[in-house]
Amino acid sequence: MYKSQKLARVAPEIGALRLGMGWSPEDLEKPQVLVESTAGTSHPGSVHLGSLAQAAGEGIRGSGGQPSFFTVTDICDGIAQGHDGMNYSLASREFICNLIEIHARSTPFDGLVLVSSCDKAVPAHLMAAARLGLPAVHVPGGTMPAGPDFLTLEQIGTYNVKLEQGEISPEAFRRYELNACPSCGACQFMGTACTMQVMAEALGLALPGSALLPAAQNAILRSARAAGQAVARLIDAGITAKDILTPAAFRNAIRVHAAIAGSTNVLLHLPAVAHELGIALEPRLFDEINRQVPWLVDTKPGGRYPTELMRYAGGVPAVMREIKDLLELDALTVTGKTVGENLEELEARGYFALGELELKRFGLHKEDVIRPRSHPLRPEGGIAVLSGNLAPLGAVVKPAAIVPRMLCHTGPAVPFNSEEEAYRAIVEKRIRPGSVIVIRYEGPRGSGMPEMFYTTEALAADPELVASTAIVTDGRFSGATRGPAVGHVSPEAISGGPLALIEAGDLIRIDIPGRRLDLVGVAGAEKSPEEMERILAERRATWQPPALPEKKGVLKIYCRSAASAMQGGYLE
């Protein structure tokens, strides 16, 4: 007898209520599967997910199960940009997960299918799968194609800065705007949305080859249908998400993340998923793995191609095949087989050869998009974790998006207490080359940890600044961020972290090869480490937290209880 049937015996109204929805008596005897999606007309990444949820339902029914469809629509970070809506972005991850927990705990279910595409939806779904411990499969919602000349959405921010500075006309900007999002699906670069789709598959919770499928093509419907069939097999086999989301699975995902040079936001999301299972993913693990795994995938924003082409080049399985000797191949996946067995099966059925045919349309080969280990884009992965007297608990940077001369940089601090102030200073040409822009009080407990996307885009749009000037913040960055930007600085400023103690003209040293972030001087003059320790102690003794804008509702709940960014920013 299925778990749902046992609970139905305890609460006899369940059957009657389900029959009231048009179910047949036979449907009550089937394994019950919760199909959760973020479907809604909120943005292109979710507008099409209803059809994928229905396709998953077909797979469930065809395998003898009964689906129930629930929705918690997500928000779009792109639409939330530039106003206070961005403060709610990371918090939304927690509340999506919480509502799925409510759905699953209040109604008897035997399995779970999760359908999502984007930045906070995918991690929320992975957190829910880990928390609930049901047999579960994730269905990635795929990606939209690029516009003309590989135009992708993250370029709009740069073009907007050029428009504000009079470098392009309103008509030119309008052309970019009209062509940046040709269809539904996640944005076309290796930002957080596409990165998290890759992570779902690399963790083993999505079917092999399902991440980054073109959202407007029929193959994604077949993949969703197959996910419905897969969850039925997992229910019969008694394999739950907790059996799949093991420490080995997380290490494999971090290795794949290094190879794709994915979004820095993964250092928020994977630890939060692992936390649901009582697994601690320490920041140093990310750094150690990124020192071992080379950057192989040539996708935007750090590379040349939209993410659709990564899928044509073989997607996650092709990346895994390239770093196969570094993976833990015995990790279990939603196929009921291991990572190693999945790769062997894909090879046998000609999966990798098929991708080459797709790439011919673009005049490319697999090796153009997913480099061989012998010719990486960079010998190390895309992420580095820094520490020092400015980041005792750590900070995150993406070396793959930084010009080599900025990997080591010392400059005078220009502190701001909000992103908006920093953005205006850059756009209005008030930042001197060589500076270190400090943006503080933007961490999880400060303001909800919004993205600094517009500020980093303004920096990237200025050729002189992007090659000479850095940003250091306790906030986070978009997966599309380019340029010298250090984020997630912990402890955050509102908690009395060293970032709160910086004064204008202090010297900040960023040493990415040495993995250091330090305050090394005052008023333009370098000091010894001992002197800096004394100066910071003196400043800390008189520091008072600033009066930040009042928070209400869910943002107040989140900011009051959020964990450190380097722990995952989850609700404690």
Side-chain angles (χ1 to χ4, degrees):
M1 181 180 292
Y2 295 107
K3 176 185 174 183
S4 60
Q5 293 171 344
K6 292 178 182 178
L7 288 174
R9 300 292 186 269
V10 177
E13 298 88 353
I14 291 175
L17 288 165
R18 282 176 159 166
L19 291 170
M21 295 189 291
W23 289 22
S24 70
E26 291 76 21
D27 291 335
L28 302 179
E29 304 305 316
K30 298 173 182 177
Q32 305 296 313
V33 180
L34 171 60
V35 180
E36 279 279 358
S37 75
T38 51
T41 54
S42 49
H43 57 96
S46 284
V47 70
H48 65 302
L49 297 184
S51 62
L52 299 188
Q54 291 299 321
E58 292 172 13
I60 293 164
R61 291 191 188 96
S63 299
Q66 178 64 19
S68 291
F69 301 95
F70 286 59
T71 300
V72 184
T73 304
D74 61 334
I75 65 168
C76 175
D77 279 19
I79 293 172
Q81 291 285 358
H83 56 91
D84 287 345
M86 177 50 71
N87 295 339
Y88 289 84
S89 173
L90 186 56
S92 75
R93 180 191 71 179
E94 307 303 308
F95 291 97
I96 292 170
C97 178
N98 290 344
L99 278 169
I100 294 171
E101 178 190 0
I102 291 169
H103 293 166
R105 297 297 191 204
S106 62
T107 307
F109 287 109
D110 302 295
L112 178 65
V113 173
L114 299 148
V115 186
S116 52
S117 300
C118 287
D119 298 45
K120 307 307 169 300
V122 178
H125 280 185
L126 298 179
M127 289 169 66
R131 183 180 298 179
L132 296 171
L134 292 169
V137 181
H138 179 256
V139 178
T143 182
M144 67 173 70
D149 297 323
F150 287 156
L151 174 68
T152 50
L153 181 68
E154 89 282 4
Q155 295 173 260
I156 292 296
T158 297
Y159 288 128
N160 184 62
V161 173
K162 291 181 180 295
L163 174 65
E164 288 194 20
Q165 295 179 339
E167 296 179 24
I168 62 172
S169 67
E171 293 76 19
F173 179 79
R174 182 65 169 167
R175 286 195 295 273
Y176 293 125
E177 182 182 44
L178 289 172
N179 289 286
C181 295
S183 82
C184 60
C187 296
Q188 323 96 316
F189 50 91
M190 195 57 73
T192 307
C194 285
T195 298
M196 288 310 302
Q197 290 191 33
V198 170
M199 291 297 93
E201 186 177 333
L203 284 167
L205 214 61
L207 289 171
S210 60
L212 308 182
L213 281 165
Q217 293 186 11
N218 288 333
I220 200 167
L221 292 171
R222 293 194 292 271
S223 180
R225 198 171 296 116
Q229 296 165 347
V231 78
R233 292 192 296 270
L234 292 175
I235 293 169
D236 288 342
I239 298 173
T240 72
K242 290 184 178 181
D243 298 317
I244 293 168
L245 295 174
T246 62
F250 284 103
R251 290 191 293 269
N252 280 343
I254 296 170
R255 291 171 183 125
V256 172
H257 179 258
I260 66 171
S263 167
T264 54
N265 286 312
V266 161
L267 277 88
L268 284 166
H269 300 321
L270 285 187
V273 178
H275 173 73
E276 298 291 341
L277 300 156
I279 299 171
L281 290 186
E282 299 294 339
R284 67 175 180 273
L285 177 63
F286 287 86
D287 196 67
E288 289 168 2
I289 288 176
N290 273 267
R291 289 177 184 269
Q292 299 163 359
V293 181
W295 173 25
L296 300 177
V297 179
D298 196 355
T299 50
K300 295 185 175 188
R304 295 177 291 175
Y305 303 117
T307 45
E308 176 188 10
L309 271 62
M310 175 184 154
R311 178 57 181 75
Y312 293 150
V316 177
V319 175
M320 286 185 145
R321 184 173 67 162
E322 226 25 82
I323 60 171
K324 187 175 179 180
D325 61 307
L326 300 174
L327 297 176
E328 294 170 68
L329 298 173
D330 57 351
L332 186 64
T333 73
V334 290
T335 64
K337 301 175 183 178
T338 66
V339 170
E341 290 169 335
N342 289 341
L343 291 175
E344 289 175 3
E345 186 175 299
L346 290 171
E347 190 81 57
R349 73 172 194 232
Y351 165 87
F352 297 105
L354 183 62
E356 286 282 356
L357 296 176
E358 295 279 4
L359 284 175
K360 282 185 177 179
R361 294 190 290 126
F362 300 93
L364 298 169
H365 297 284
K366 177 259 178 189
E367 291 77 14
D368 295 318
V369 182
I370 301 176
R371 297 285 191 90
R373 285 272 292 281
S374 57
H375 293 85
L377 289 158
R378 188 172 177 270
E380 294 186 352
I383 297 294
V385 176
L386 314 182
S387 63
N389 66 12
L390 270 185
L393 298 182
V396 180
V397 68
K398 192 172 183 178
I402 302 174
V403 295
R405 63 179 287 188
M406 287 299 293
L407 294 176
C408 293
H409 176 70
T410 301
V414 185
F416 298 95
N417 288 352
S418 73
E419 186 208 4
E420 292 81 2
E421 295 170 352
Y423 173 77
R424 295 313 317 172
I426 294 172
V427 171
E428 293 169 6
K429 304 285 189 181
R430 291 189 279 115
I431 300 297
R432 293 182 179 179
S435 301
V436 176
I437 300 165
V438 174
I439 308 174
R440 57 195 174 193
Y441 305 112
E442 298 285 20
R445 295 201 175 198
S447 61
M449 206 179 185
E451 291 181 355
M452 307 290 107
F453 180 59
Y454 282 173
T455 303
T456 55
E457 282 299 288
L459 188 77
D462 187 314
E464 186 176 20
L465 289 184
V466 78
S468 66
T469 306
I471 293 175
V472 174
T473 180
D474 53 7
R476 64 188 176 89
F477 298 115
S478 164
T481 292
R482 300 166 291 155
V486 180
H488 303 204
V489 174
S490 300
E492 62 179 285
I494 198 63
S495 299
L499 215 61
L501 309 177
I502 292 174
E503 298 179 358
D506 286 351
L507 289 180
I508 294 176
R509 177 165 296 150
I510 302 166
D511 178 4
I512 295 173
R515 301 304 198 257
R516 298 289 303 180
L517 177 65
D518 292 290
L519 192 64
V520 297
V522 175
E526 288 202 27
K527 305 287 185 182
S528 70
E530 293 76 20
E531 287 178 294
M532 288 313 312
E533 185 177 347
R534 177 182 55 79
I535 291 167
L536 287 172
E538 290 172 353
R539 292 179 181 179
R540 186 172 288 108
T542 59
W543 174 78
Q544 293 292 326
L548 300 179
E550 183 184 2
K551 301 172 184 66
K552 297 180 180 180
V554 296
L555 188 59
K556 182 177 181 179
I557 293 170
Y558 180 74
C559 291
R560 185 175 59 210
S561 305
S564 159
M566 293 306 290
Q567 293 176 303
Y570 49 79
L571 281 175
E572 293 187 300

